[in-house]
Amino acid sequence: MTYISKPRLHHPKLPTNALGLTHRDYEGSVSTLCAGCGHDSISGAIIQACFELSIPPHRVAKLSGIGCSSKTPTYFLGASHGFNSVHGRMPSVLTGANLANRDLIYIGVSGDGDTASIGFGQFAHCVRRGVNMTYIVENNGVYGLTKGQFSATADKGAPSKRGNANQDAAIDLAGLAIMLGATFVARSFSGDKTQLVPLIKAAIQHRGAAFLDVISPCIAFNNHPGSTKSFDYVREHNEAVNYLDVIIGRDPITLDQAAGSVELVAQHDGSVLKLRKLAPDYDPTQRIAAMGYLQEGQAAGEIVTGLLYLDDDPDDLHERLQTTRKPLNALADAELCPGKAALEKVNAALR
Ligand SMILES: Cc1ncc(C[n+]2csc(CCOP(=O)(O)OP(=O)(O)O)c2C)c(N)n1
Ligand code: SF4
Ligand SMILES: [Mg+2]
């Protein structure tokens, strides 16, 4: 993979977070994507979210598949663990890593091709198992890296750059994630950092499967008139149901509630989501209603964005499997080999 490292020098007066780190400490190599690609804005939002949450970079594992989107982990969190896997295989590699070490924060980055075609099964099973992760799809409706073929999220009838209309029905990944059992589902737009940064922060804080579908225009192959994934189209059809702020547990929680328009949702780790409701009838805790709302928006030609579904008391895969709390690489010999008596007991139970 190509990369250009950034000079380490930076201004001594850059603002710092609770760890004394600057925004620069959360950056990665210089991006080699097309200038103006939506994916770079998402990398910027991830950097901002991790900086604001004061996450120690070495506590993050970033994983991806193949595509322009899957290249992006090289461009953020340069001091974190990273694994650029095979096309569509990020979810299983992330699941394995998470099972081996639950102490890291897992960020999976994928594309609409990577997730909605070759990795479709992987995506489905990772989400339904409730792996504790932030799964981000950088959704541009095309295979950007291989020069702009329609992906499975391209809307039916939407024209390619050369004018051919897409013949197939689109897959709605956010709707599917809700159906499959994700406990945090949101949609946003790479060009709306005000909405996207808090959503990423909340997804990272969420202890369960968090899925984010981020519309991210491909300026090289899918930013023409008629495309439903272009900057102009998304700006014109964006129907935000809510905006959030995330107040993390370790901060004193003081809230100014605007009557009728703010809803507070406490998360398991003590953080509080402060939802500024834009659609007064939208309640993100109602799973079935959320699915219906998405369908209605789609039928009306709207791109519904915001926090779409939240289960504020999720359990994750480790809880269900009752796995050891310790990362596997920290287990001592005695824990790994409990001895002959323990083995006899297991064997006896199976007879
Ligand atoms: C097994 C396999 N099949 C096909 C490819 C070719 N390929 C590379 S990237 C890609 C699609 C990428 O599209 P997407 O995930 O939407 O990422 P984008 O580039 O649009 O961000 C394909 C088909 C591959 N690398 N490996
Ligand atoms: S081809 Fe498209 S998706 Fe790939 S870097 Fe360029 S603009 Fe981004
Ligand atoms: Mg794509």
Side-chain angles (χ1 to χ4, degrees), residues 39 66-70 87 111-115 118 138 140 142-146 151:
H39 298 351
I66 297 289
C68 298
S69 35
S70 290
H87 200 18
D112 40 315
D114 198 62
T115 283
I118 194 167
E138 305 190 345
N140 53 18
V142 288
Y143 295 176
L145 191 72
T146 53
S151 80

Side-chain angles (χ1 to χ4, degrees), residues 1-337:
M1 185 178 293
T2 51
Y3 70 92
I4 308 161
S5 51
K6 280 187 192 162
R8 295 230 25 99
L9 282 177
H10 56 71
H11 196 279
K13 289 200 176 141
L14 280 183
T16 53
N17 62 14
L19 297 176
L21 298 176
T22 69
H23 192 273
R24 294 288 314 270
D25 296 312
Y26 292 84
E27 293 177 359
S29 307
V30 176
S31 172
T32 59
L33 301 187
C34 307
C37 175
H39 298 351
D40 278 335
S41 306
I42 302 173
S43 297
I46 295 172
I47 291 169
Q48 187 67 26
C50 292
F51 168 74
E52 287 178 14
L53 287 175
S54 296
I55 292 173
H58 69 274
R59 284 205 52 234
V60 177
K62 43 180 189 163
L63 297 100
S64 61
I66 297 289
C68 298
S69 35
S70 290
K71 285 171 69 178
T72 62
T74 309
Y75 315 135
F76 61 81
L77 299 179
S80 298
H81 306 277
F83 195 95
N84 186 207
S85 75
V86 186
H87 200 18
R89 271 40 177 185
M90 177 277 285
S92 56
V93 178
L94 188 152
T95 304
N98 184 304
L99 281 173
N101 185 351
R102 63 159 91 180
D103 281 353
L104 298 178
I105 294 164
Y106 289 90
I107 301 178
V109 176
S110 182
D112 40 315
D114 198 62
T115 283
S117 286
I118 194 167
F120 203 42
Q122 296 241 335
F123 150 73
H125 292 288
C126 187
V127 164
R128 72 178 259 278
R129 285 180 180 135
V131 179
N132 184 6
M133 62 179 173
T134 298
Y135 188 136
I136 300 176
V137 170
E138 305 190 345
N139 188 352
N140 53 18
V142 288
Y143 295 176
L145 191 72
T146 53
K147 305 269 177 277
Q149 301 85 349
F150 286 123
S151 80
T153 66
D155 283 311
K156 192 170 185 177
S160 69
K161 198 173 171 183
R162 293 189 169 183
N164 304 321
N166 180 33
Q167 308 280 334
D168 303 319
I171 290 174
D172 176 357
L173 289 171
L176 263 174
I178 299 176
M179 204 172 86
L180 289 164
T183 45
F184 179 113
V185 178
R187 182 181 285 136
S188 192
F189 170 43
S190 62
D192 187 354
K193 275 212 180 139
T194 313
Q195 186 188 56
L196 182 56
V197 173
L199 281 175
I200 295 173
K201 285 167 70 177
I204 290 174
Q205 299 286 101
H206 183 74
R207 200 199 59 199
F211 181 79
L212 275 137
D213 177 23
V214 187
I215 312 293
S216 174
C218 167
I219 51 123
F221 300 110
N222 205 8
N223 198 31
H224 44 269
S227 160
T228 56
K229 299 276 191 292
S230 66
F231 278 109
D232 286 348
Y233 186 91
V234 181
R235 284 199 187 107
E236 278 160 27
H237 296 82
N238 188 347
E239 203 53 46
V241 288
N242 51 38
Y243 273 76
L244 13 147
D245 293 330
V246 181
I247 300 132
I248 45 181
R250 57 182 176 270
D251 294 339
I253 296 174
T254 49
L255 299 157
D256 51 317
Q257 284 190 48
S261 64
V262 174
E263 190 175 297
L264 305 177
V265 191
Q267 296 223 88
H268 224 271
D269 63 348
S271 61
V272 176
L273 302 186
K274 187 178 169 193
L275 272 176
R276 264 177 295 138
K277 280 190 160 205
L278 296 185
D281 56 340
Y282 194 76
D283 178 358
T285 62
Q286 299 303 311
R287 187 162 168 267
I288 313 265
M291 288 195 261
Y293 197 93
L294 274 176
Q295 297 279 325
E296 283 164 24
Q298 202 176 16
E302 291 165 355
I303 301 173
V304 179
T305 63
L307 177 60
L308 304 171
Y309 175 63
L310 175 72
D311 174 351
D312 55 6
D313 190 18
D315 60 355
D316 86 325
L317 185 60
H318 286 278
E319 255 173 60
R320 256 171 281 136
L321 294 181
Q322 299 189 329
T323 53
T324 164
R325 260 239 56 90
K326 269 195 194 174
L328 299 190
N329 65 359
L331 291 177
D333 279 357
E335 290 159 301
L336 288 168
C337 300

